[in-house]
Amino acid sequence: LQAMAQGVPVVATSTGGILSLIKDGKTGFLTHVGDAAALAARVLQLLADRDLALRLGAAARQHALEYYSLTNMLSNTIELYAEAVSTATTRHN
């Protein structure tokens, strides 16, 4: 997320929380877990194609700022708590 916020396209394996961060082919690249050759190929692709790296990096930055800014995260947290309170209140009435 920090790399994305700085405009760096990320190459990672498709596992865990990474799947919700990186949009394959749009903000970076995802490869299968354990496929070191594919991981290396994607890194080399970005090193060889500056326009692609800049385009993915810009999209990564936009995605990080749009979905993971402090303001957005606080807003989402407040909304989550409001829903939890509302649900708890409804159950007890």
Side-chain angles (χ1 to χ4, degrees):
L1 186 55
Q2 292 173 347
M4 291 173 69
Q6 295 301 312
V8 176
V10 177
V11 178
T13 57
S14 55
T15 185
I18 294 294
L19 291 170
S20 65
L21 290 177
I22 299 171
K23 306 303 176 208
D24 190 37
K26 295 180 181 174
T27 62
F29 289 119
L30 294 171
T31 63
H32 293 291
V33 175
D35 191 347
L39 191 74
R42 288 300 195 179
V43 170
L44 291 173
Q45 180 183 5
L46 290 172
L47 291 172
D49 188 341
R50 181 167 172 74
D51 289 338
L52 175 63
L54 290 173
R55 188 172 66 251
L56 293 181
R61 179 173 168 73
Q62 180 62 35
H63 181 74
L65 294 176
E66 184 175 336
Y67 291 99
Y68 301 100
S69 69
L70 179 58
T71 302
N72 195 8
M73 291 175 63
L74 289 173
S75 177
N76 289 339
T77 301
I78 290 168
E79 185 177 314
L80 181 65
Y81 278 113
E83 288 176 25
V85 168
S86 177
T87 300
T89 304
T90 303
R91 286 186 188 161
H92 291 299
N93 289 334

